[in-house]
Amino acid sequence: MGKIISIVNQKGGVGKTTTAVNLSASLAAAERRVLLVDFDPQANSSSGLGVRLTSDEPCIYEALLGLEPVEKTIRKSLFETFSLVPSHIRLVGAEQELTSLPNWEHRLKELLASISGNYELVLVDTPPSLGVLTLNSLVAAESIIIPIQCEYYALEGLGQLLGTIRRIQKKLNPELKIEGVLLTMFDRRLNLSWQVAEEIRDYFRDAVFETIIYRNVRLSEAPSFGKPVILYDIHSRGAQNYIALAEEIIEKNEKSIRQRA
């Protein structure tokens, strides 16, 4: 079974999709077999990889509701070892439809159980809310990455997110762990960025990744070309940041496997 990591923060604009796309691509570039599941109705991870579905092409919505086998939705990316389950705006409907089904909280977990063995890592990009879809992603995941932007109000709403995580751990997924807290949109020229980073490290301590994602123009431009930043400009700071993050996650997980052996 591949390790399932959900990328979660109910705030928008914190770098969830940027992280989902670019971390997945960087892990694939390190020769890991990776699946990215776009679980956000905005479908930005899909468009960021050049995938824009028509209304009659199957996506995660049909797979989630059992209308199509999930294998039929998987798309290859520009990397041989990197695949995508794309999304579409019709996934919005799943928020209402899922809750009428038995064990609706486990739908994504059951779906991924059938395919995760084909991958070393499965990353799930979630919507900016703590609704039905995000709850499904927390039940399905072994761990979560929490991106936090180094800007005003960075810690706002985190108490609610952590409370939700604790409830999921208690009732639905006791194995759920925090893979790491990721500092994003860091601008070394601003005192505010340093202050926020210090606050986050004081709060989360060792759970914060060493890698920091700096503000970077190339990182912002890449999605409009339908490419991860390492294919758009591998020499950019944004690309190098996500390569470093991928290396940190690989090293952390390999160390964990060695310790369990």
Side-chain angles (χ1 to χ4, degrees), residues 57-236:
E57 291 179 286
C59 71
I60 186 62
Y61 170 76
E62 282 77 19
L64 194 66
L65 294 176
L67 304 174
E68 293 281 2
V70 65
E71 291 84 358
K72 199 171 177 181
T73 71
I74 297 173
R75 303 290 188 98
K76 281 290 184 184
S77 78
L78 296 172
F79 291 89
E80 182 63 30
T81 58
F82 179 15
S83 299
L84 168 74
V85 175
S87 186
H88 187 271
I89 188 62
R90 62 183 177 273
L91 182 60
V92 168
E95 291 276 357
Q96 284 75 43
E97 294 169 76
L98 274 181
T99 53
S100 65
L101 301 175
N103 296 319
W104 62 265
E105 304 97 329
H106 296 268
R107 294 292 289 195
L108 182 63
K109 181 178 182 177
E110 293 166 358
L111 183 72
L112 296 181
S114 65
I115 57 170
S116 62
N118 299 325
Y119 306 93
E120 293 170 81
L121 290 156
V122 178
L123 273 63
V124 182
D125 184 21
T126 63
S129 73
L130 290 177
V132 168
L133 298 177
T134 298
L135 292 179
N136 255 263
S137 78
L138 292 172
V139 173
E142 185 176 331
S143 65
I144 61 172
I145 292 173
I146 305 174
I148 302 178
Q149 82 280 32
C150 295
E151 297 180 345
Y152 285 115
Y153 308 123
L155 299 176
E156 187 180 68
L158 273 180
Q160 185 183 3
L161 172 60
L162 295 174
T164 299
I165 292 168
R166 284 192 290 270
R167 287 192 294 275
I168 294 292
Q169 289 169 327
K170 186 175 180 180
K171 296 182 178 180
L172 296 168
N173 185 2
E175 305 303 318
L176 182 64
K177 296 178 175 61
I178 294 178
E179 184 78 21
V181 174
L182 180 64
L183 301 174
T184 65
M185 304 179 192
F186 188 93
D187 188 336
R188 62 167 60 249
R189 300 167 299 177
L190 301 179
N191 287 334
L192 177 64
S193 287
W194 295 98
Q195 291 166 4
V196 171
E198 186 177 353
E199 284 182 29
I200 293 168
R201 287 197 176 101
D202 285 345
Y203 190 86
F204 287 100
R205 301 192 178 277
D206 293 341
V208 181
F209 286 115
E210 291 182 16
T211 303
I212 295 173
I213 309 301
Y214 287 80
R215 278 200 175 277
N216 180 251
V217 173
R218 295 299 199 204
L219 199 54
S220 301
E221 291 174 345
S224 64
F225 291 86
K227 294 180 179 180
V229 70
I230 63 171
L231 292 181
Y232 179 62
D233 184 354
I234 195 170
H235 301 294
S236 67

Side-chain angles (χ1 to χ4, degrees), residues 43-58:
N44 289 332
S45 280
S46 302
S47 61
L49 290 169
V51 176
R52 292 176 173 83
L53 299 183
T54 62
S55 59
D56 58 353
E57 291 179 286

Side-chain angles (χ1 to χ4, degrees), residues 18-32:
T18 298
T19 296
V21 169
N22 292 294
L23 176 57
S24 296
S26 296
L27 288 165
E31 300 183 342
R32 267 51 184 187

